Structures are given as C-alpha cells and as structure tokens.
Amino acid sequence: MTKKRTGVFVCHCGTNIAATVDVSRLAKEMAGEETVAFSRDYVYMCSDPGQNSVIEAIKENNLDSVVVTCCSPNLHEKTFRDNAARAGISGFTCEIANIREQCSWVHKNRDEATAKAIKISRSAVRRVARNQSLEPIAVPVTRRVMVIGGGIAGIQASLDIANAGLEVVLVEKLATIGGHMLQLSETFPTLDCSQCILSPKMVEVSRHPKITLMTYSEVQEVSGAVGNFRVKILQKPTYVDPEACKLCDECTVVCPVVVPNEHDLGLTSRRAIHIPFAQAIPASYTLDEDSCLGLNPIRCGKCKDVCEAGAINYDMLPKTVVEDVGAIVVATGFDLYPQEKILEYGAGNVEDVLDGLQFERLCSASGATKGHVLRPSDQKEPKDVVFIQCVGSRDPAQHCAYCSKICCMYTAKHARLYKHHVPDGRAYVFYIDIRSGGKGYEEFVQRAMEEDETVYLRGRVSKLYRKDGKVRVLGTDTLTGQNVEIDADMVVLALAMQPSKGTEEAAKVLKIGRDKDGFLAEAHPKLKPVESVTGGIYLAGCAQGPKDIPETVSQASAAAAKVIGLLSSDTLNHAPTVARVRRSHCTGCEMCVTACPYKAIRLENGKAVVNEVLCEGCGSCTATCLRAAIEVKNVTQLQVFDMIEACLTV
Amino acid sequence: MINIQDIRDTARDLLAKGEVRAVIGWRAGSRGMAVEPVVITAPEQADELVWDPTCYHNLALHLVEDRKFLAHARKTAGAPIGIIAKGCDARAIVVLMQENYFKREDVYIIGVSCEGSGVIAEWKVARQLDGAVPTAAAFAGDEFAFATAAGEKRLPAREVMADRCLECRNPFPKEHNVALGEDKTGRALDAPFAALARFETRSEGERWEFWQRQFERCIRCFACRSVCPMCYCEECVVDSINIAVAPETTAEEKANRIRWIERSAVKSENITYHMTRAIHLAGRCVDCGECERVCPVNIPLRLLNNKMEREARERFGYEPGASIGGPSLVASFRDDDPGAFIR
Amino acid sequence: MNAAKPMSAANPMSEQQAYEPKIVAFLCKWCSSAGSDLAGVSRIQYPANATPITVPCSGSMSPMYILSAFNKGADGVLVSGCHIGDCHYMEGNFLARRKIHLVKELLQFIGVEENRFRMSWVSAAEGAKYAQVVKDFVEDLRPLGPQEKLKAQRT
C-alpha cells in the first residue's frame, strides 16, 4: 500500500477559529505528520478562492486525500467532498475536522483550544490515512411503483405518482376500489357526500393511462430490495368478464344464494353474484366463489343462462402475475375493533346496537334503508339515539391503549346527521374528552351541541342491555355528578380503529415492522412518518395509524413525493460507507445478522454477506462481531484505534 | 448411578451402525487417577470409555477442534460426531449451535448426568487426602470413593467438588440425543454466583488490589483461551499477530491488522486481554470452570466471567446455552434494559 | 483517591491544580455530535479536556474502543448517543445500552473508579446538556488524578 499523500487545509473562518486557535501553528503541526504532504492555512476555506486553492494544491502536490479543519461537517462536508471530486480524487477521501463548533467557539484559553484543535486535526489525518477511495454505489432502479390498497390513501398516492409520469400498479383485495370511505355517508367537517368526492378520483384511477388496476387481487410474495422489487400477485377469478358485463343486474334476480352484504356491514344481503355497490370500479359484477353453490361441477348455472352479454365464464382461473417495481406504497387501511370483544355493551348480540360504519350505511342514500335512519330490529324511526365514544380506545387494561383520533368528530357528525334526518329525535353523546383539532373541527362540534341540540354527557357507559324493545343504557354524567339511564331506540358505538387484516398480511409478506398496536411502523416517528424501516417501502393512511381523511390524503401525497424522489433517475446513489465482511475471520455466527437494524446482512455459504444497497453504515454489526470480521468502510476499527491514539498524544 | 456399560454400549452401538463417525469421551489417563479425553472411532474402542468424578474436561472443546481440523484439511464431515456431555458441556454445545458453529444434526449428544454430585477439584481432594495418592475415583451417591495405597477413602462430594459444581443449576444435560443418569436439576448446594457475591463485599480499592495482583501474575500463556470451547475464533481479536491468513485475505488486510495490545505480559496489556475476553464471553460462558482449572498461575478467572453472567441473567433475563434458536446476548435488546446509569 | 483539597494559594499540591484530566468523548454523528455543535453555535463555554471522536452510532461502539482508550492513558471516557427511541439508525442505541452496561460493570468490578467511565444521551437539541456533561465529568475526574490502573506503561 503506497503511503497516503494528504493535504491539510486549516481554515481561519475569519476570526471565528483564528481568534482562539493558533491556526498557523496548527498547520505547521499537521505538516509534521507522516502522511501529510501539504499543509496550509487560509482565511475562508469554503469560499471560492479557498476551494480553488484546494484543487490547485491537490493537482500540484499529487495529493490523494484531504483534511479540512474548519466548521462542523454538517455545514460543508458536501461542499469539500464535491470539491475534491472536481480535483479528480474520491470525495470519500476528504474528511472534516471540526475545530469551530467543537473547539474555538466553546473554549477561551488559546493554549488549551489550540492543543485540542491539534488533537482533533491529527485524529482526522490519521483516519484519512486509511480511507478508501470510495464512489457512490449506483443502483439501477425500476421506475414503476406498486400501491397496495385501493382506499382513499392508495387512490391518492396512485394518482400523484402516475401524474408524475411513473407507472403504477394498484392492487386491491376487494372487487372494487374505494375502501371504507366508500361506505361513509357524509364526511366531516363539511358534510360533503363521501361518494361524491371519492367517485371522481376512482374514475380517474380507472381511466389513467399510467395506472394498472388489479382488483380482487392479493400480494403473495415480495423479493428484492429498494429500486428493484419483484412482487407476485394472485389475481382471483371474478368469473365475469369486466369488458363484457353490462351491469344489467339480471343475474342477481336468478341467483338462489343469499348472504350478508359486506358493503352494508350485514345490514342488507346480496347474492353470490353481485356488484359491491352500484358505482363500483371496475364497473363489473363478481361471482363470489365461496358462497356460490358450486362451480366445479356446476351446481346451478342460472346466472350464466340469463346473461345476454355472455359475460359470465365459469372457467376463469386464478392468475399469478409477477410485477417488477422500484418502490411500494402500503395503504391497506383499518378495520373497526370487533364489537364482539366489548362484553359490557352486549358483545355484538344486542339488537339495534350498531357500529359507526353501520350507522353510516343507514344514513347513506345508497344504503340499507335508502337514507332513512331506521332501527334494524323493526324498521321504525328511532327517537332516542345514544352515541358512545371511546369504545375500545383509551383502554389499556382491556382493549386498545391509544386514541383512535376520528371518533369524536364522526360521532358529532353522526349526531348531526341523525338530527337532520329525525329533527324531533333526541341525540345523546357519552364522551370522555372531545378531540377536535383540525380546521373547522371545533366549530363543527359546537354546532352539533348548539344548533343540532345534541346532549353531550361527560361520562362513560357502564352497561347496556335490551329491555322492553329498547336498549337500556346505564351511564354517568360526571359534570353534574349524576348517573344517567336512557332507554334508547338505537345505540351507536364509536369503536376503536385497528389495523386491517390486510395490513397484518402485507406486513408479513413485505417483512416490514409493525408497532406495538399492530399498525405499520414508520422509520422515524417525527421525521420519517411515511417511510417504513425498509428502503423503498412507504406507508400511507390508517395502516400506519388512526387518522382522518385530510391527513390520509396528505400522507398519501407525501408517500408519493418520496417515491417520485426515489425514482427520479435511472439509478439511485447510495452512500458507499457500508459494511464489509472479512471472510477469513467470519464464522457465520449470525450475530451481525440479528443486530442489523436494516436486515442488510444475510448468511451465504456459511459467511456473512452485506447487501450494500440496504446497508446504512451504522456500525451495529461492527460492535457486535466478536472477531472484527465486519466493519464499516472508512470507519474501520483500525481507524478508530488510530483516532483514539491521536486524541491522547500530547 | 450410571452404569458404565450403558455408556460403552451406546457408543459401541452408534459406531457399529455408522450413525456416528467417532465418539468423544474419556478414558483412563496415564497420570494418577485423572482421566483423559479420547476420540474413539472403532466400536471395539468403546470398552476404553470411563465415567468418574475426574471427568471435569469440557469435551465441547474437542468438537471445536474436530471442526477446525476438517476445515483446514478441507474435508467434509460425513456422518455426525458423537460426544459424551455433562450438563455443563451440553450447554456449551448449545451455545456453539446457537452460533451456527454446528448444525444440530451434526452432533449426537450422549448426555450423562453427574446426578448432582459434580466433578472434583483436584486441589480439594489433595488437601483432604493429606498426602495419600489416589489412583482411581468413583461416584458413590453423595460421596466420592478414592482408591489409595492405604485402601479406599470416601469423601463427601460436597467437600471436594469443584466450586462451579457447588453453584451449578444445570447438572442434567437438557439438550441430548440420549441421556443417562437421573435428573437432579434444582438441587443447589450453594446459591448461584455465591463466590461472586462473597468477592463483591470488598471495596473498590480492595478489588483493585486483588485484581492488580492477579493480572501482574498472568504470563499470557493463553491457556484459558485455548481450553475454552467458545474461544473458537480463527484469530483472537487481541492477539492479531496470529493473523488467520486465508486465500481471500488481501494485502491491505495483512498490512492493516490492529495491535490493540502489545505481546508483553505486563499488567496493563493483561488487563485488556482478560476484560476483552470476559466481555466477549458475556452471554456465552456456561461456567464449565476449565479456564480457571488450567490457569498455571491460579488466577480466579471464574469471577470475571460469572460477573458477566450474573449481569446477563439479572439485568437482561438471559441464560447462555438455553436455546439453540435464541439470539445472542449482545445482538439483541429489550425495551426495559437498564438505562439508569446513562445521564 | 480522596476528594481534592481546596484550591488556594496555601495549597502545596501544585501538581494537583495543574492536573487536567484527559477525556476521550465518543459522540454519535446524528445526535450527540450535533448537540455538541449546538453548544458551539450557542457559544456555551466548557472545559477543553474532552477530545471528540465522531462515530456513526453509539451502537457502533465496540467495547474494545473503551478499553483501548484507557489503555492509551485516557483519564476518563465518555460515550454519548441519541435518546432511546430516537436513534437515527433505529436500534443502535438499544444495542449500545446493553454493551456499555457490561463494560461499565466490568470496569467497576476490577476496581476502576466508577467516575472514570460514563455514558450520556444527548440529542441534537441539547447543546447546554452536552456542555454540562463535560463540565461535570471534568470536575468528577479531577480528584481522582491521572488514570494509572489500565494505562500501558510504554516508552
């Protein structure tokens, strides 16, 4: 190995450094170092003349590495590295010695500060002496994107990404996109009709030239890494050709099978062959294999007989599709906490006790009761409706510890909608707190209380049960100190939001982490809310945590922006200061594999192998390995050893 | 009480059927009563195998040696290798498997239980026999029976068993293919880490005085490292002059090896060596006690390793050698790991 | 060693007054080094005894670095990283917490003074805290005098 020829450039930073540190002495001391071939001080190294002088010095003195002793690397490391590259040497052979923020600005005594500056600079010189001339790792990327989940988050992300010119494959489990937002009647705080604001986006997705829509499909397997994922998707057969289907509805008339309609949350029923709802995208019927009497052999066949368009095909097979994409957005949404788990409130067995989504279906014009609020038990109009907030949320002892964020708002909305439908009815809300932080939210809740005369009771409901055709609700009002008993016609429970089943499945297949409540784990709770820990996989919507529609749409666009940035060129530039294995020392014990926060190390033929694209160079592996068989380039153990020695040499 | 024939029959059987290619065990030694480790490869040799209170060696060491030999000779193992393992040894084997040094199916563990009486510490026996030279030793319930020129001498096991046996919580080989002898797990004659607790009553100054003396005496013979099955690294991190040069070792690596410590056996360098070894064994040491037994200058090495093991157990809920599939101590963490010491 | 005698003109131990402990401070790049930078930006003054070495993550701190620092004559060693839950590399500081605990226990066990080795969590926003950590460390180290127990006696 030829000896390094390092150039040391000592910056005065005007008087910021020079007033306290003897910069010319520092330059002289560095000149005495074995690997230093050139050492000089200058008033402003980051300035144009300063940087040019570095380039000149590199060329004239045949330098192969540079140490700039100046301000914090956070400010100008990139500047000086790019500068070194312009002079023809690797940017990674340029290191910064911070003698300003960590020295001249915090000490007054000139001798002490100079002595410390010498140690810091010597430390950098010794380190650079063993720096490799690394170049950024260029990873070619596939400039296509997969979005998993076709609710509002997935739809928004898909549109943003497709509008930026990237191809999108949108995979949705159900036969239609739209998600839970499609089941809503109106949305807070404007009481816009949910379908009216969602439908145009759904249509845009279906018509967008850059979006391939795969409904009734599920992701089975994912391999590869950021920039290059290979995804296997199972497309289930709908047994109906979407191009041919005319939506005439003749098939449902003859289908003998009747099952609960999932879209109406069991409040209505559907046939085995059905369309989830009238404006489904794709606009086509679907034959649900699980409830059909039998396709192989064909037990019934009536739907096919009546289909004039000839759209029904019992011979459709499941298809496995393989897609290569550079990034994945996971927007698999939420489910409501199961009512069955709330034993105090009837465990789902008390009639006329509904969850929020069911209430939405009652209010919705396309729903079970054509928009009239009627009791499921006897189809009569309820005159007393009790709404209970925080059912299952904020309950660390028995259910979910967290707050589900949207319930205060949608309960106020439900109360208002109920009062708009049944003006002479009485609405009661049992609450612990009111969380109405968004724009127009607080005013909305106040209007529920004042204009729509909803009675807000600050207290919890201990129990409810059926009595004489009504639901007796036993609660308390802590502000008056009285217990409250209401014989309600209907009760609506604001159940907690939990991660959907699809979220759990997606996390397993993608191998991305989930937090303690099962929501997808973000890479950093404050600074990286839409990135998963795994490079190239982004999160959006309620799969990451409870949130309302404006936040969901924001997150979806944020995830889209990250994806667009990631795939903005044909290659990804990844920092080359990654881990490297010394195979002769590696015994394949896998401690580094376990320790790596990025799962960037795997065992191959009994030795550790680093995926340089996933490795972030944190060094956890280095510290864990008992044999120094793995270390991070340009921060090797030997380099740290030299730095320690330099710090302790007087 | 284990019948020695059972051990011999098991070994003979396995070798005859070709289920194992060798069996690591003990046979009568050439020096007084002590046995010596042996690797037998033929069924007839099974008659040599013995089992008595002098079987203190951790035979897992020979598993490591076997693997190294095969690797350097570039041979493949073929059939599994058999090993007679006490409770402590079996845990060592589990740690080696946890670290992928062996696959479970490559080792056939013939577990033998010391049935709670442990194995001897030779110096304790010598002290009790008061000059009489023992020529053989045998298990005898709660006692050991020593054959001497003056006839048989029986000593209570408790008085002459090794210190680590007094504190042992795992006298039965939990991981095994076949196990001989009774499971007397749960009997503890001393509390675990009793010797450590006694040591820690000393003040900081007293502790330093004690350890300073020990480390000054150390001659850096590395016997402790050589006898430890867990010290299987090709190149010891603190002894990098013994660099393992493989075809893939680059010139740069050869030039860039670190000299963390100097070779001279002086106190400061010895301390760094022993502390590094203790930390590297944290969560891996099963307290077989061999390092302390073989130290030619009688450094109480168990204290160092026990300190780490007690921290592992009490602070991190970690037991070395408990499960082949578990993560290592230092590559994992818990949310409630102690952190009060951090400012 | 006992607590330092009060500094006064009458104090004959002029070597003790002149003794400045040498500290090696391993700072993680993302939090603690940034916190140290903030102390600089805020012009908070603190003693010059601690020479910083920036490492990528507290999780990259091999126990060998700490032992080596003492072996080379450091009077005190500081390791500083991101607060639990805030590690830039997600889990590095959790791993560090365990290893450093073991190193600390072992050092104390063999009789090295407890005050010579410490760990802190300093975030990028805690410039004042970093300065205080160094100040406290220097004050706690002064009465202990130069570190001789682990220092290599090399010429």
Side-chain angles (χ1 to χ4, degrees), chain A residues 7 23 114 123 135 137 145 178 360 422 458-459 467 478 513 636 647 650:
Chain A
V23 285
T114 305
S123 181
E135 293 300 327
I137 299 168
V145 184
E360 295 279 348
V422 185
R458 194 195 179 273
K467 182 143 171 91
T478 59
T636 62
C647 288
V650 175

Side-chain angles (χ1 to χ4, degrees), chain A residues 268-283:
Chain A
T268 58
S269 53
R270 62 164 174 83
R271 306 298 166 122
I273 187 158
H274 67 290
I275 189 166
F277 79 110
Q279 289 78 28
I281 298 277

Side-chain angles (χ1 to χ4, degrees), chain A residues 71-72 75 98-103 105-106, chain C residues 36-37 40-41 46:
Chain A
C71 53
S72 167
L75 297 165
N98 182 345
I99 58 169
R100 190 182 75 172
E101 281 86 339
Q102 297 191 358
C103 190
W105 271 354
V106 290
Chain C
S36 172
D37 282 350
V41 166
Y46 57 89

